Amino acid sequence: MDIVTRGFSGRRRDRDERLPPGQTLVSDWPVLSAGPTPHVPTEEWSLTIRDETGTEHRWSWDELLALGVEDVTVDIHCVTHWSRLGMSWRGVSLDRLFADVETTDDYVMAHSYGGYTTNLPLEDLLDGKAWIAVEADGAPLTAEHGGPARLLVPHLYFWKSAKWIRGFTTMPTNDPGFWEQNGYHIHGDPWLEERYW
Ligand SMILES: Nc1nc2c(c(=O)[nH]1)N[C@H]1C(S)=C(S)[C@@H](COP(=O)(O)O)O[C@H]1N2
Ligand SMILES: [Mo]
């Protein structure tokens, strides 16, 4: 990957303040996938939230977009020490999806096409903190970066941003997902360097 040294847009001090401890800026966008890339056509794609009663809330591709897309500019931080600042994304806020869901559970497991999982407290997904992203850098998400849609939770390390998202299951306890079972931190705040445990 290219490490940014000079000429990156933004004042150096501003960049430094936005870079969590132990992170290095990159100018390209590395691909990190634990397995093969699923290819899911949007006509076959759906997103499901399953709550503790077994009730399933489901959105087709068109239904997802009909909830309303928004543009966000955020920084992303990978636990393998690279960060990208000021990335532009387009997606649907998780607030819109969970508006319909009544749950007393405090946690969710995110599930992806292909089998990847990652766990999150519900409070890290709500109040404008997370999106189902469908575009990045002004173009539809490529399959390698999680298209047609991925979870985007920019305030946590990027392994929490599940590519090829297919849904969420609510959970009463914070059960570990794929990387969390393999030594990554249960929460993953880059400002606290919650990398491994
Ligand atoms: N489904 C799925 N989502 C995933 C991964 C994965 O292997 N499978 N890798 C995670 C990790 S470790 C990172 S750093 C980011 C990488 O996203 P990118 O390849 O778009 O940079 O996706 C995260 N989401
Ligand atoms: Mo990662």
Side-chain angles (χ1 to χ4, degrees):
M1 67 188 80
D2 300 335
I3 304 296
V4 177
T5 48
R6 280 169 190 282
F8 187 82
S9 60
R11 288 180 307 117
R12 185 183 189 119
R13 169 121 164 267
D14 177 53
R15 274 158 35 203
D16 290 348
E17 282 167 0
R18 282 164 64 184
L19 209 51
Q23 294 296 108
T24 305
L25 281 178
V26 293
S27 56
D28 57 351
W29 186 4
V31 172
L32 282 101
S33 302
T37 296
H39 292 268
V40 186
T42 52
E43 312 84 70
E44 289 165 27
W45 184 94
S46 70
L47 185 84
T48 304
I49 300 178
R50 189 175 196 278
D51 67 22
E52 65 271 36
T53 69
T55 304
E56 293 194 338
H57 306 255
R58 182 166 307 194
W59 296 264
S60 67
W61 182 257
D62 290 340
E63 288 165 345
L64 173 82
L65 299 182
L67 292 175
V69 291
E70 48 192 73
D71 292 312
V72 288
T73 301
V74 294
D75 304 337
I76 60 172
H77 312 290
C78 176
V79 72
T80 63
H81 299 277
W82 58 266
S83 292
R84 288 191 83 201
L85 302 185
M87 269 196 89
S88 56
W89 295 80
R90 176 168 288 178
V92 177
S93 169
L94 269 282
D95 293 313
R96 303 261 177 142
L97 289 158
F98 276 93
D100 270 358
V101 178
E102 278 182 39
T103 180
T104 57
D105 284 345
D106 289 330
Y107 304 95
V108 300
M109 188 69 80
H111 298 268
S112 295
Y113 291 96
Y116 184 86
T117 55
T118 188
N119 59 290
L120 297 127
L122 201 42
E123 66 173 15
D124 278 298
L125 294 182
L126 302 180
D127 296 324
K129 292 200 282 279
W131 295 266
I132 302 296
V134 297
E135 289 184 21
D137 290 336
L141 266 185
T142 59
E144 62 179 2
H145 285 300
R150 76 181 296 164
L151 183 59
L152 174 65
V153 192
H155 73 285
L156 298 178
Y157 281 124
F158 208 35
W159 87 77
K160 295 288 185 181
S161 294
K163 304 198 277 190
W164 316 295
I165 188 78
R166 73 177 304 165
F168 302 91
T169 311
T170 70
M171 307 188 290
T173 52
N174 201 7
D175 302 343
F178 173 75
W179 279 120
E180 295 83 4
Q181 288 171 37
N182 286 282
Y184 282 21
H185 198 278
I186 197 76
H187 184 233
D189 183 334
W191 295 97
L192 302 176
E193 286 212 79
E194 294 174 341
R195 296 178 191 274
Y196 312 104
W197 70 340

